[in-house]
Each structure stands twice: as structure tokens, then as C-alpha cells.
Amino acid sequence: MKQFPILLKREFWENRNTFVVLPCVTAGFMILLMIGVYLAVDIVGIKANIQIGGDEQHQEMSSDKTRVNEAFGYMFSRLASLPPEAREHTIYQILNGLAGPLLVILWAVVLFYLIGSLYEDRKDRSILFWKSMPVSDTSTVLSKLVSALIVVPAVYLVCVLFIQLVFLIVSSLAAFSQEASIWEVLWEPSNLLSRWFTLIAHLLFQVIWSLPLYGWVILVSAWASSVPLAWIIGAPIVFAVLERFISGDTRVSGWFTDHISPVAFAQDQELYLADLLPKLMSIDTLAGLLVGLSFVAVAVWLRSKGDEI
Amino acid sequence: MTAVVNARGLSKRYGDFHALRDVSFDIEPGSIVGLIGPNGAGKTTTLKSLLGLTRFDGELEVLGMDPRHGRHELMKRVCFIADVGVLPRWLKVKHAIDYIEGVHEGFDRDKAEALLLKTKISPSQKVRQLSKGMVTQLHLALVMAIEVDLLVLDEPTLGLDILYRKSFYERLLNDYFDHGTSIVISTHQVEEIESLLTHLIFIDEGEIVLSCSMEELPGMYSEVLVSPENIEQALKYSPIHSREILGKRSMIFEDVSADMLGNFGEVHTPSVADLFVAKMQKG
């Protein structure tokens, strides 16, 4: 266990680009985009209809050179005029929209990282160096899983929180001269802390729920002697077809498919912790945990057996 | 002291191919063993067995442990360089040092840095920026800064130019020899390590052809430059190898007394390289 921090660092060194540079660049890009939209709004003025929230009401604002304050003042006052629930919903959608791209990238980064995690060093033969060190195969595999499922999501999460915060700050500045209270219109309905807490809970739940997927990926990564991605996708498809053919139903493959889908941030518009807990406590989740951990155990065993390809 | 390595009846098959057939040998503490054989003879399989990197049949004890179980425990006392250029290309030199310091209790960071100062390698370079020779220098420097009981080198200088090869073995000898660490080196470039070795193991087609100490060698093998008139007489002692050199005939004999052979011409101990050729061609 004393070795574990350096093992995580090792993963970070190897994957600095996708673990840190990519989310930071994405966050930076989104912030620029946000500011760009604000500026564009300023320059073009608001000739178009501005629609906020689920409200169907349209309003026209025509001015050749509307100042940014006015444009946002308009949006802000529209937001302020919404009933509290609709306001909350609108802000939630905006915050969610800001988080979306990073969370999708996170999902892809984690999967592609895991696909290569126990494969690349066998391919380039550097496994012979890693295995010359007194590090157990269990520690090695766990360090990759912890990186993929805890460390990397944490980094992306920080970026998500950062752009959400920047959004609220920039909007507050833009709406500074407005009459309505910035706190009441923007900050309070955003429920920032509870949303962040929920997002963290979702990501953790996602880890447990999708452990069969992650376990399967790392197993194939430890085993495949070429194109692990093909095995990761191909084998389950073949299995599903066989299952259908032999038993006539798709119980097992259906269960697996259910555990692959990224439930945490896509399925429902607004998930609250109260909805998560019963799902977390279900037999289904427990079964997923067991299947996932079995895959991981097999990956450790394969890692201990194998060397270079 | 007990043997560092105790191998009895090691066998390994890949399908129909016998990589190892009933291989037995010992490695004594403090010895430097040359494991020598042609390509595909089973050198790498033997070494991988010692390191717990491959499955095999037979009995094997390395420092009192079975390498098939708990490789990572064994690696606290054994280190290896498995071939040239297996350091990951994305790794920075300073990170390599940080990593080993973090996982290996026997690693001496100052020593590694001191060894690297003697080279042109800088800590901020990535392995991919180094030449093949420099990667080997780096790997050797890292490994030499680890205090272990057994060091295994599998073809450590393959594909390097002569300057790097020479300096590799010089460093190994100068900086490592008084550790009391046992070293096993596999190679087919026999000449370069001959002066280093205390023991020899020849392996061919998965079988041990010769296993002896360098001290025993003169008593076992003699090379004689036989004058033309004695050739027929000498052939009766069934030389294991015979070849023409500068108009004379050189023969290598096994277990024939040197006094006896002195009658045929000048007697000396064959070089390991010549003995290797003799042994390999015999079978």
C-alpha cells in the first residue's frame, strides 16, 4: 500500500494529456465560448427571439448596438420573472449543458485508458521493466482501476465545477446593474453545493453500476494479444447472438447492456440522491459489483501469467 | 551459504517445441554466470523461469523462493534487464528514478543520479529521446543502484555498437563486482563477457551442454596446435573439434590430460568462444 501513490503517479505521467491537459483545454474552450457568446450578444444585439426556460413567451428586442449589460439585463430580468421552479429548472439545464461535454469526454477517456492499460506495455514490451520491480500484479491492476474510476473523474469533476462557477460569476457580473437580486435569481436556484454533491454521488454510483463494463474492459486488456477493442465489443455481441439463439431470450446480455449505459447523467433530467439510494441498494447493483470484481480478479490472474506479446 | 539458484529438471514446452528439457543447474552466491547458447536454445526461457515470468515444470528455487508464486516478493532481491530497450518510451528519466524509489526499498537514489552524471543522459529527457545505447546505459544505471542478491541480464547489449558494449561490461564489473551480488548474463556474443565470468553454462536445444566453473575449464578442455606429422596420432584421442589455422591443425579435446597432448604440439586452454563452437557443432 505504501507503493500506491507512486503507482497512481505513474499512470498520471503516462496519460498526462488525457487525464489533465484535455479536460483543462476543454474547460478553457467552453469558458471562451461562453464569453464569446456574451460578446456576440453584445455586438449583434438582440434581434432574434430570446427564449428562456420552458416559457413559450417570445419577445423581440431590436437595437443596433445593444450593450452587453442590456442584453444580459434582458435575459436576467426574464429569468427573474419566472416562477421559482421554472427558474431552478432553467439554471439546472444550463449547468447540466456546461457539464455535458466534459462528462462525455470523461467517459471516452476512461474507457480508452482502460482498454490500453494492461495491453500497451505488453505490446511495447515495457512490461518486462514493470515486472522487474517488486510491485504485485494486484497492485498494478488496482492502480489502473483507481486511476480510471476515481482519480480521472475527480480531475474532470473539478473542471466541471470550475466552468459552472465561472458561468455564475460571469453572469453575475453581466447582470450587475440589474435591480433583482443576483443571489435570488442566479445563485440560490442553482443550488450549487447540493448539485455538486449529487454529481459526485452519481459518478460514484456510475462506477459501481458499470463495474461489469470496466472489469470486462480491463480483463480483455490483460488478455488480448491484438486489437483489444475488437474483443471488447465483438465477444459480447457474439455472446448475445448465441444466447438469443440457444436460450431464446437475452436475459444475460440484456442485463449487461443495462450496466453499460451511462445512467448517471443521461437518463433523467434531474436525478436526486433519493432516487439513487434504492437503486444502489438493489440486488442488481450488488450482482454487478460481484461480476465486475470477478472480471478484475481474472485480469489480475492474466496479468500474473502473461508477459510480452 | 546455500545456492542462489537451484534448478532441477526444468521443462517447458510450447506445443511440440521443447524449449527446455530437464534442465538442472546451480548458481552459487557471488558468481558471475554466462548462460551461452545459440538463438532459440532456451536462454530466455531459462531466465524467464528464474524471474517468475513464465510457467514451467520442474523444481526451481531462487533465493529460497519459488518464482512461480509471489514474483513481487522475489523482485525485492532480484533484478533483471530483459533485453535492450524495454524501458517505456514515454517515461522521463527523473520519473523513472522517482518510480523505482517509490516501489523499491533497495534503491539508492544518490547512486543512480551519480551513475547518470557519468553519461550524457539528462533527468528531464524522455526515454524516446535517447538512443538505443543510452537507453541501455540508463537501464543499467537504474539497476545498478538497486541492492539485490541476484541480477539477471538477458542479452543486455544486443544491437549496440562496440563502444557501448565495452563500457556496459566495464561498468558492470567495476561498480558491481564487490557487491557479492550474483549475476547471470545470457548472450551469444561470448568474447565480450569471457573475462568477466566465474561460471559457464552452455545450452542448446533446451538442454545443458556444459556447466562448469572457469577454474575447472583448463582441467577439462585443452586446445592443441597439432603439427602435421602428429595429426593421425592426435585423432585417436577423438578431439571434439578440429579446424585449420594458418596451415596448422587446431584440435580441442575433452578430458584428455594436457601432459599427454603436449606430445602433439603446443597446448593451451581454448577460449570460451572456440569451446562454444566446438560444443555446438559436436551435437
Side-chain angles (χ1 to χ4, degrees), chain A residues 151-185:
Chain A
V151 179
V152 183
V155 175
Y156 276 71
L157 201 68
V158 168
C159 291
V160 165
L161 306 193
F162 182 70
I163 49 178
Q164 290 184 339
L165 209 56
V166 167
F167 163 75
L168 286 174
I169 290 171
V170 170
S171 304
S172 303
L173 289 176
F176 199 65
S177 60
Q178 294 300 310
E179 277 173 31
S181 149
I182 292 167
W183 172 255
E184 274 173 25
V185 176

PDB file of all heavy atoms in Angstrom, chain A residues 151-185:
ATOM      1  N   VAL A 151      -9.486   8.795  -9.744  1.00  0.00           N
ATOM      2  CA  VAL A 151      -8.610   9.950  -9.949  1.00  0.00           C
ATOM      3  C   VAL A 151      -9.053  10.778 -11.158  1.00  0.00           C
ATOM      4  O   VAL A 151      -9.256  11.989 -11.051  1.00  0.00           O
ATOM      5  CB  VAL A 151      -7.141   9.504 -10.127  1.00  0.00           C
ATOM      6  CG1 VAL A 151      -6.244  10.707 -10.357  1.00  0.00           C
ATOM      7  CG2 VAL A 151      -6.671   8.726  -8.902  1.00  0.00           C
ATOM      8  N   VAL A 152      -9.205  10.116 -12.301  1.00  0.00           N
ATOM      9  CA  VAL A 152      -9.556  10.858 -13.511  1.00  0.00           C
ATOM     10  C   VAL A 152     -10.933  11.528 -13.388  1.00  0.00           C
ATOM     11  O   VAL A 152     -11.057  12.720 -13.683  1.00  0.00           O
ATOM     12  CB  VAL A 152      -9.499   9.930 -14.752  1.00  0.00           C
ATOM     13  CG1 VAL A 152      -9.798  10.712 -16.008  1.00  0.00           C
ATOM     14  CG2 VAL A 152      -8.119   9.299 -14.851  1.00  0.00           C
ATOM     15  N   PRO A 153     -11.969  10.804 -12.917  1.00  0.00           N
ATOM     16  CA  PRO A 153     -13.252  11.503 -12.731  1.00  0.00           C
ATOM     17  C   PRO A 153     -13.118  12.699 -11.802  1.00  0.00           C
ATOM     18  O   PRO A 153     -13.763  13.726 -12.027  1.00  0.00           O
ATOM     19  CB  PRO A 153     -14.149  10.419 -12.118  1.00  0.00           C
ATOM     20  CG  PRO A 153     -13.586   9.139 -12.614  1.00  0.00           C
ATOM     21  CD  PRO A 153     -12.108   9.349 -12.675  1.00  0.00           C
ATOM     22  N   ALA A 154     -12.267  12.590 -10.771  1.00  0.00           N
ATOM     23  CA  ALA A 154     -12.100  13.717  -9.845  1.00  0.00           C
ATOM     24  C   ALA A 154     -11.548  14.937 -10.583  1.00  0.00           C
ATOM     25  O   ALA A 154     -12.019  16.058 -10.392  1.00  0.00           O
ATOM     26  CB  ALA A 154     -11.183  13.317  -8.699  1.00  0.00           C
ATOM     27  N   VAL A 155     -10.565  14.700 -11.455  1.00  0.00           N
ATOM     28  CA  VAL A 155      -9.987  15.818 -12.213  1.00  0.00           C
ATOM     29  C   VAL A 155     -11.056  16.469 -13.094  1.00  0.00           C
ATOM     30  O   VAL A 155     -11.201  17.699 -13.123  1.00  0.00           O
ATOM     31  CB  VAL A 155      -8.810  15.330 -13.081  1.00  0.00           C
ATOM     32  CG1 VAL A 155      -8.291  16.467 -13.948  1.00  0.00           C
ATOM     33  CG2 VAL A 155      -7.690  14.765 -12.218  1.00  0.00           C
ATOM     34  N   TYR A 156     -11.826  15.632 -13.800  1.00  0.00           N
ATOM     35  CA  TYR A 156     -12.847  16.165 -14.695  1.00  0.00           C
ATOM     36  C   TYR A 156     -13.930  16.903 -13.902  1.00  0.00           C
ATOM     37  O   TYR A 156     -14.464  17.909 -14.345  1.00  0.00           O
ATOM     38  CB  TYR A 156     -13.454  15.038 -15.542  1.00  0.00           C
ATOM     39  CG  TYR A 156     -12.627  14.728 -16.763  1.00  0.00           C
ATOM     40  CD1 TYR A 156     -11.402  14.089 -16.654  1.00  0.00           C
ATOM     41  CD2 TYR A 156     -13.049  15.110 -18.036  1.00  0.00           C
ATOM     42  CE1 TYR A 156     -10.629  13.823 -17.760  1.00  0.00           C
ATOM     43  CE2 TYR A 156     -12.278  14.846 -19.162  1.00  0.00           C
ATOM     44  CZ  TYR A 156     -11.078  14.200 -19.017  1.00  0.00           C
ATOM     45  OH  TYR A 156     -10.309  13.947 -20.114  1.00  0.00           O
ATOM     46  N   LEU A 157     -14.216  16.340 -12.734  1.00  0.00           N
ATOM     47  CA  LEU A 157     -15.228  16.961 -11.890  1.00  0.00           C
ATOM     48  C   LEU A 157     -14.802  18.373 -11.489  1.00  0.00           C
ATOM     49  O   LEU A 157     -15.599  19.312 -11.528  1.00  0.00           O
ATOM     50  CB  LEU A 157     -15.416  16.095 -10.644  1.00  0.00           C
ATOM     51  CG  LEU A 157     -16.727  16.283  -9.911  1.00  0.00           C
ATOM     52  CD1 LEU A 157     -17.880  15.774 -10.749  1.00  0.00           C
ATOM     53  CD2 LEU A 157     -16.691  15.556  -8.573  1.00  0.00           C
ATOM     54  N   VAL A 158     -13.556  18.506 -11.109  1.00  0.00           N
ATOM     55  CA  VAL A 158     -13.043  19.829 -10.721  1.00  0.00           C
ATOM     56  C   VAL A 158     -13.227  20.801 -11.889  1.00  0.00           C
ATOM     57  O   VAL A 158     -13.647  21.949 -11.698  1.00  0.00           O
ATOM     58  CB  VAL A 158     -11.570  19.741 -10.295  1.00  0.00           C
ATOM     59  CG1 VAL A 158     -10.955  21.128 -10.190  1.00  0.00           C
ATOM     60  CG2 VAL A 158     -11.439  19.007  -8.971  1.00  0.00           C
ATOM     61  N   CYS A 159     -12.951  20.334 -13.105  1.00  0.00           N
ATOM     62  CA  CYS A 159     -13.129  21.199 -14.279  1.00  0.00           C
ATOM     63  C   CYS A 159     -14.594  21.572 -14.471  1.00  0.00           C
ATOM     64  O   CYS A 159     -14.917  22.715 -14.801  1.00  0.00           O
ATOM     65  CB  CYS A 159     -12.602  20.504 -15.533  1.00  0.00           C
ATOM     66  SG  CYS A 159     -10.809  20.356 -15.523  1.00  0.00           S
ATOM     67  N   VAL A 160     -15.483  20.593 -14.262  1.00  0.00           N
ATOM     68  CA  VAL A 160     -16.916  20.863 -14.392  1.00  0.00           C
ATOM     69  C   VAL A 160     -17.331  21.933 -13.386  1.00  0.00           C
ATOM     70  O   VAL A 160     -17.988  22.923 -13.726  1.00  0.00           O
ATOM     71  CB  VAL A 160     -17.738  19.570 -14.176  1.00  0.00           C
ATOM     72  CG1 VAL A 160     -19.211  19.904 -13.943  1.00  0.00           C
ATOM     73  CG2 VAL A 160     -17.591  18.637 -15.364  1.00  0.00           C
ATOM     74  N   LEU A 161     -16.915  21.719 -12.135  1.00  0.00           N
ATOM     75  CA  LEU A 161     -17.273  22.678 -11.095  1.00  0.00           C
ATOM     76  C   LEU A 161     -16.723  24.051 -11.441  1.00  0.00           C
ATOM     77  O   LEU A 161     -17.382  25.072 -11.249  1.00  0.00           O
ATOM     78  CB  LEU A 161     -16.725  22.228  -9.732  1.00  0.00           C
ATOM     79  CG  LEU A 161     -17.088  20.818  -9.273  1.00  0.00           C
ATOM     80  CD1 LEU A 161     -16.753  20.631  -7.806  1.00  0.00           C
ATOM     81  CD2 LEU A 161     -18.550  20.513  -9.516  1.00  0.00           C
ATOM     82  N   PHE A 162     -15.521  24.064 -11.977  1.00  0.00           N
ATOM     83  CA  PHE A 162     -14.889  25.333 -12.306  1.00  0.00           C
ATOM     84  C   PHE A 162     -15.683  26.091 -13.373  1.00  0.00           C
ATOM     85  O   PHE A 162     -15.983  27.276 -13.202  1.00  0.00           O
ATOM     86  CB  PHE A 162     -13.453  25.095 -12.783  1.00  0.00           C
ATOM     87  CG  PHE A 162     -12.708  26.350 -13.106  1.00  0.00           C
ATOM     88  CD1 PHE A 162     -12.324  27.215 -12.091  1.00  0.00           C
ATOM     89  CD2 PHE A 162     -12.405  26.683 -14.418  1.00  0.00           C
ATOM     90  CE1 PHE A 162     -11.644  28.383 -12.385  1.00  0.00           C
ATOM     91  CE2 PHE A 162     -11.723  27.848 -14.716  1.00  0.00           C
ATOM     92  CZ  PHE A 162     -11.343  28.702 -13.693  1.00  0.00           C
ATOM     93  N   ILE A 163     -16.080  25.409 -14.466  1.00  0.00           N
ATOM     94  CA  ILE A 163     -16.802  26.165 -15.501  1.00  0.00           C
ATOM     95  C   ILE A 163     -18.196  26.561 -15.025  1.00  0.00           C
ATOM     96  O   ILE A 163     -18.698  27.613 -15.395  1.00  0.00           O
ATOM     97  CB  ILE A 163     -16.882  25.454 -16.884  1.00  0.00           C
ATOM     98  CG1 ILE A 163     -17.348  24.038 -16.750  1.00  0.00           C
ATOM     99  CG2 ILE A 163     -15.586  25.535 -17.615  1.00  0.00           C
ATOM    100  CD1 ILE A 163     -17.475  23.356 -18.101  1.00  0.00           C
ATOM    101  N   GLN A 164     -18.792  25.749 -14.181  1.00  0.00           N
ATOM    102  CA  GLN A 164     -20.107  26.142 -13.655  1.00  0.00           C
ATOM    103  C   GLN A 164     -19.976  27.396 -12.794  1.00  0.00           C
ATOM    104  O   GLN A 164     -20.790  28.320 -12.878  1.00  0.00           O
ATOM    105  CB  GLN A 164     -20.714  24.988 -12.849  1.00  0.00           C
ATOM    106  CG  GLN A 164     -21.130  23.814 -13.749  1.00  0.00           C
ATOM    107  CD  GLN A 164     -21.814  22.699 -12.991  1.00  0.00           C
ATOM    108  OE1 GLN A 164     -21.660  22.588 -11.781  1.00  0.00           O
ATOM    109  NE2 GLN A 164     -22.556  21.870 -13.702  1.00  0.00           N
ATOM    110  N   LEU A 165     -18.915  27.402 -12.015  1.00  0.00           N
ATOM    111  CA  LEU A 165     -18.658  28.566 -11.167  1.00  0.00           C
ATOM    112  C   LEU A 165     -18.381  29.800 -12.015  1.00  0.00           C
ATOM    113  O   LEU A 165     -18.923  30.890 -11.767  1.00  0.00           O
ATOM    114  CB  LEU A 165     -17.447  28.250 -10.279  1.00  0.00           C
ATOM    115  CG  LEU A 165     -17.388  28.945  -8.925  1.00  0.00           C
ATOM    116  CD1 LEU A 165     -18.649  28.660  -8.123  1.00  0.00           C
ATOM    117  CD2 LEU A 165     -16.155  28.480  -8.166  1.00  0.00           C
ATOM    118  N   VAL A 166     -17.558  29.605 -13.051  1.00  0.00           N
ATOM    119  CA  VAL A 166     -17.230  30.733 -13.934  1.00  0.00           C
ATOM    120  C   VAL A 166     -18.496  31.255 -14.599  1.00  0.00           C
ATOM    121  O   VAL A 166     -18.707  32.466 -14.685  1.00  0.00           O
ATOM    122  CB  VAL A 166     -16.197  30.311 -15.002  1.00  0.00           C
ATOM    123  CG1 VAL A 166     -16.085  31.366 -16.093  1.00  0.00           C
ATOM    124  CG2 VAL A 166     -14.839  30.075 -14.354  1.00  0.00           C
ATOM    125  N   PHE A 167     -19.379  30.338 -15.014  1.00  0.00           N
ATOM    126  CA  PHE A 167     -20.634  30.760 -15.630  1.00  0.00           C
ATOM    127  C   PHE A 167     -21.424  31.670 -14.692  1.00  0.00           C
ATOM    128  O   PHE A 167     -21.907  32.731 -15.079  1.00  0.00           O
ATOM    129  CB  PHE A 167     -21.473  29.537 -16.006  1.00  0.00           C
ATOM    130  CG  PHE A 167     -22.916  29.853 -16.260  1.00  0.00           C
ATOM    131  CD1 PHE A 167     -23.292  30.483 -17.437  1.00  0.00           C
ATOM    132  CD2 PHE A 167     -23.890  29.570 -15.315  1.00  0.00           C
ATOM    133  CE1 PHE A 167     -24.617  30.809 -17.671  1.00  0.00           C
ATOM    134  CE2 PHE A 167     -25.218  29.894 -15.537  1.00  0.00           C
ATOM    135  CZ  PHE A 167     -25.584  30.512 -16.722  1.00  0.00           C
ATOM    136  N   LEU A 168     -21.551  31.233 -13.444  1.00  0.00           N
ATOM    137  CA  LEU A 168     -22.346  32.019 -12.499  1.00  0.00           C
ATOM    138  C   LEU A 168     -21.682  33.364 -12.219  1.00  0.00           C
ATOM    139  O   LEU A 168     -22.345  34.394 -12.127  1.00  0.00           O
ATOM    140  CB  LEU A 168     -22.538  31.228 -11.203  1.00  0.00           C
ATOM    141  CG  LEU A 168     -23.534  30.064 -11.323  1.00  0.00           C
ATOM    142  CD1 LEU A 168     -23.563  29.242 -10.051  1.00  0.00           C
ATOM    143  CD2 LEU A 168     -24.925  30.587 -11.644  1.00  0.00           C
ATOM    144  N   ILE A 169     -20.350  33.359 -12.123  1.00  0.00           N
ATOM    145  CA  ILE A 169     -19.648  34.616 -11.827  1.00  0.00           C
ATOM    146  C   ILE A 169     -19.775  35.583 -13.004  1.00  0.00           C
ATOM    147  O   ILE A 169     -20.125  36.753 -12.828  1.00  0.00           O
ATOM    148  CB  ILE A 169     -18.168  34.334 -11.499  1.00  0.00           C
ATOM    149  CG1 ILE A 169     -18.090  33.622 -10.151  1.00  0.00           C
ATOM    150  CG2 ILE A 169     -17.367  35.634 -11.459  1.00  0.00           C
ATOM    151  CD1 ILE A 169     -16.720  33.092  -9.816  1.00  0.00           C
ATOM    152  N   VAL A 170     -19.525  35.069 -14.216  1.00  0.00           N
ATOM    153  CA  VAL A 170     -19.607  35.937 -15.390  1.00  0.00           C
ATOM    154  C   VAL A 170     -21.025  36.481 -15.554  1.00  0.00           C
ATOM    155  O   VAL A 170     -21.229  37.667 -15.818  1.00  0.00           O
ATOM    156  CB  VAL A 170     -19.177  35.164 -16.671  1.00  0.00           C
ATOM    157  CG1 VAL A 170     -19.486  35.977 -17.927  1.00  0.00           C
ATOM    158  CG2 VAL A 170     -17.695  34.850 -16.599  1.00  0.00           C
ATOM    159  N   SER A 171     -22.018  35.616 -15.353  1.00  0.00           N
ATOM    160  CA  SER A 171     -23.399  36.065 -15.477  1.00  0.00           C
ATOM    161  C   SER A 171     -23.725  37.112 -14.419  1.00  0.00           C
ATOM    162  O   SER A 171     -24.439  38.075 -14.684  1.00  0.00           O
ATOM    163  CB  SER A 171     -24.356  34.881 -15.328  1.00  0.00           C
ATOM    164  OG  SER A 171     -24.028  33.898 -16.275  1.00  0.00           O
ATOM    165  N   SER A 172     -23.203  36.889 -13.216  1.00  0.00           N
ATOM    166  CA  SER A 172     -23.437  37.853 -12.144  1.00  0.00           C
ATOM    167  C   SER A 172     -22.853  39.211 -12.506  1.00  0.00           C
ATOM    168  O   SER A 172     -23.480  40.249 -12.293  1.00  0.00           O
ATOM    169  CB  SER A 172     -22.803  37.371 -10.842  1.00  0.00           C
ATOM    170  OG  SER A 172     -23.304  36.113 -10.490  1.00  0.00           O
ATOM    171  N   LEU A 173     -21.646  39.180 -13.070  1.00  0.00           N
ATOM    172  CA  LEU A 173     -21.000  40.438 -13.458  1.00  0.00           C
ATOM    173  C   LEU A 173     -21.816  41.135 -14.537  1.00  0.00           C
ATOM    174  O   LEU A 173     -22.042  42.345 -14.488  1.00  0.00           O
ATOM    175  CB  LEU A 173     -19.577  40.173 -13.965  1.00  0.00           C
ATOM    176  CG  LEU A 173     -18.566  39.760 -12.888  1.00  0.00           C
ATOM    177  CD1 LEU A 173     -17.230  39.436 -13.521  1.00  0.00           C
ATOM    178  CD2 LEU A 173     -18.435  40.847 -11.832  1.00  0.00           C
ATOM    179  N   ALA A 174     -22.281  40.324 -15.521  1.00  0.00           N
ATOM    180  CA  ALA A 174     -23.041  40.897 -16.627  1.00  0.00           C
ATOM    181  C   ALA A 174     -24.349  41.503 -16.134  1.00  0.00           C
ATOM    182  O   ALA A 174     -24.849  42.471 -16.698  1.00  0.00           O
ATOM    183  CB  ALA A 174     -23.311  39.823 -17.671  1.00  0.00           C
ATOM    184  N   ALA A 175     -24.884  40.910 -15.075  1.00  0.00           N
ATOM    185  CA  ALA A 175     -26.189  41.368 -14.583  1.00  0.00           C
ATOM    186  C   ALA A 175     -26.041  42.309 -13.396  1.00  0.00           C
ATOM    187  O   ALA A 175     -26.985  42.522 -12.638  1.00  0.00           O
ATOM    188  CB  ALA A 175     -27.033  40.154 -14.202  1.00  0.00           C
ATOM    189  N   PHE A 176     -24.850  42.832 -13.251  1.00  0.00           N
ATOM    190  CA  PHE A 176     -24.524  43.573 -12.036  1.00  0.00           C
ATOM    191  C   PHE A 176     -25.441  44.771 -11.799  1.00  0.00           C
ATOM    192  O   PHE A 176     -25.829  45.064 -10.679  1.00  0.00           O
ATOM    193  CB  PHE A 176     -23.065  44.032 -12.096  1.00  0.00           C
ATOM    194  CG  PHE A 176     -22.529  44.393 -10.753  1.00  0.00           C
ATOM    195  CD1 PHE A 176     -22.394  43.401  -9.766  1.00  0.00           C
ATOM    196  CD2 PHE A 176     -22.185  45.689 -10.451  1.00  0.00           C
ATOM    197  CE1 PHE A 176     -21.916  43.722  -8.516  1.00  0.00           C
ATOM    198  CE2 PHE A 176     -21.697  46.009  -9.194  1.00  0.00           C
ATOM    199  CZ  PHE A 176     -21.564  45.022  -8.234  1.00  0.00           C
ATOM    200  N   SER A 177     -25.815  45.434 -12.908  1.00  0.00           N
ATOM    201  CA  SER A 177     -26.575  46.672 -12.744  1.00  0.00           C
ATOM    202  C   SER A 177     -28.085  46.437 -12.627  1.00  0.00           C
ATOM    203  O   SER A 177     -28.861  47.374 -12.620  1.00  0.00           O
ATOM    204  CB  SER A 177     -26.289  47.586 -13.932  1.00  0.00           C
ATOM    205  OG  SER A 177     -26.697  46.910 -15.094  1.00  0.00           O
ATOM    206  N   GLN A 178     -28.447  45.147 -12.580  1.00  0.00           N
ATOM    207  CA  GLN A 178     -29.877  44.847 -12.534  1.00  0.00           C
ATOM    208  C   GLN A 178     -30.460  45.065 -11.149  1.00  0.00           C
ATOM    209  O   GLN A 178     -29.755  44.996 -10.136  1.00  0.00           O
ATOM    210  CB  GLN A 178     -30.093  43.399 -12.972  1.00  0.00           C
ATOM    211  CG  GLN A 178     -29.752  43.143 -14.417  1.00  0.00           C
ATOM    212  CD  GLN A 178     -30.589  43.983 -15.339  1.00  0.00           C
ATOM    213  OE1 GLN A 178     -31.813  44.029 -15.233  1.00  0.00           O
ATOM    214  NE2 GLN A 178     -29.934  44.707 -16.260  1.00  0.00           N
ATOM    215  N   GLU A 179     -31.746  45.253 -11.186  1.00  0.00           N
ATOM    216  CA  GLU A 179     -32.413  45.526  -9.917  1.00  0.00           C
ATOM    217  C   GLU A 179     -32.566  44.271  -9.073  1.00  0.00           C
ATOM    218  O   GLU A 179     -32.288  44.272  -7.884  1.00  0.00           O
ATOM    219  CB  GLU A 179     -33.803  46.120 -10.182  1.00  0.00           C
ATOM    220  CG  GLU A 179     -33.774  47.599 -10.429  1.00  0.00           C
ATOM    221  CD  GLU A 179     -35.141  48.090 -10.838  1.00  0.00           C
ATOM    222  OE1 GLU A 179     -36.151  47.488 -10.374  1.00  0.00           O
ATOM    223  OE2 GLU A 179     -35.198  49.051 -11.614  1.00  0.00           O
ATOM    224  N   ALA A 180     -33.041  43.207  -9.729  1.00  0.00           N
ATOM    225  CA  ALA A 180     -33.325  41.989  -8.972  1.00  0.00           C
ATOM    226  C   ALA A 180     -32.040  41.463  -8.332  1.00  0.00           C
ATOM    227  O   ALA A 180     -30.950  41.671  -8.845  1.00  0.00           O
ATOM    228  CB  ALA A 180     -33.919  40.935  -9.896  1.00  0.00           C
ATOM    229  N   SER A 181     -32.202  40.749  -7.246  1.00  0.00           N
ATOM    230  CA  SER A 181     -31.039  40.253  -6.509  1.00  0.00           C
ATOM    231  C   SER A 181     -30.350  39.127  -7.294  1.00  0.00           C
ATOM    232  O   SER A 181     -30.990  38.141  -7.677  1.00  0.00           O
ATOM    233  CB  SER A 181     -31.500  39.744  -5.142  1.00  0.00           C
ATOM    234  OG  SER A 181     -30.674  38.689  -4.728  1.00  0.00           O
ATOM    235  N   ILE A 182     -29.094  39.316  -7.523  1.00  0.00           N
ATOM    236  CA  ILE A 182     -28.327  38.284  -8.236  1.00  0.00           C
ATOM    237  C   ILE A 182     -28.363  36.974  -7.461  1.00  0.00           C
ATOM    238  O   ILE A 182     -28.464  35.893  -8.025  1.00  0.00           O
ATOM    239  CB  ILE A 182     -26.869  38.758  -8.428  1.00  0.00           C
ATOM    240  CG1 ILE A 182     -26.859  39.924  -9.405  1.00  0.00           C
ATOM    241  CG2 ILE A 182     -25.985  37.639  -8.928  1.00  0.00           C
ATOM    242  CD1 ILE A 182     -25.547  40.667  -9.439  1.00  0.00           C
ATOM    243  N   TRP A 183     -28.276  37.105  -6.184  1.00  0.00           N
ATOM    244  CA  TRP A 183     -28.313  35.899  -5.343  1.00  0.00           C
ATOM    245  C   TRP A 183     -29.598  35.128  -5.557  1.00  0.00           C
ATOM    246  O   TRP A 183     -29.565  33.914  -5.764  1.00  0.00           O
ATOM    247  CB  TRP A 183     -28.139  36.299  -3.873  1.00  0.00           C
ATOM    248  CG  TRP A 183     -28.354  35.156  -2.937  1.00  0.00           C
ATOM    249  CD1 TRP A 183     -29.437  34.938  -2.141  1.00  0.00           C
ATOM    250  CD2 TRP A 183     -27.474  34.039  -2.737  1.00  0.00           C
ATOM    251  NE1 TRP A 183     -29.300  33.774  -1.444  1.00  0.00           N
ATOM    252  CE2 TRP A 183     -28.091  33.191  -1.788  1.00  0.00           C
ATOM    253  CE3 TRP A 183     -26.232  33.674  -3.262  1.00  0.00           C
ATOM    254  CZ2 TRP A 183     -27.515  32.017  -1.350  1.00  0.00           C
ATOM    255  CZ3 TRP A 183     -25.659  32.488  -2.820  1.00  0.00           C
ATOM    256  CH2 TRP A 183     -26.290  31.671  -1.882  1.00  0.00           C
ATOM    257  N   GLU A 184     -30.719  35.832  -5.541  1.00  0.00           N
ATOM    258  CA  GLU A 184     -32.005  35.146  -5.630  1.00  0.00           C
ATOM    259  C   GLU A 184     -32.268  34.598  -7.027  1.00  0.00           C
ATOM    260  O   GLU A 184     -32.867  33.537  -7.185  1.00  0.00           O
ATOM    261  CB  GLU A 184     -33.142  36.091  -5.239  1.00  0.00           C
ATOM    262  CG  GLU A 184     -33.381  36.120  -3.753  1.00  0.00           C
ATOM    263  CD  GLU A 184     -34.383  37.191  -3.357  1.00  0.00           C
ATOM    264  OE1 GLU A 184     -35.226  37.573  -4.202  1.00  0.00           O
ATOM    265  OE2 GLU A 184     -34.296  37.670  -2.212  1.00  0.00           O
ATOM    266  N   VAL A 185     -31.807  35.316  -8.035  1.00  0.00           N
ATOM    267  CA  VAL A 185     -32.125  34.899  -9.405  1.00  0.00           C
ATOM    268  C   VAL A 185     -31.138  33.839  -9.903  1.00  0.00           C
ATOM    269  O   VAL A 185     -31.517  32.892 -10.582  1.00  0.00           O
ATOM    270  CB  VAL A 185     -32.120  36.114 -10.347  1.00  0.00           C
ATOM    271  CG1 VAL A 185     -32.351  35.668 -11.785  1.00  0.00           C
ATOM    272  CG2 VAL A 185     -33.169  37.112  -9.917  1.00  0.00           C
TER     273      VAL A 185
END
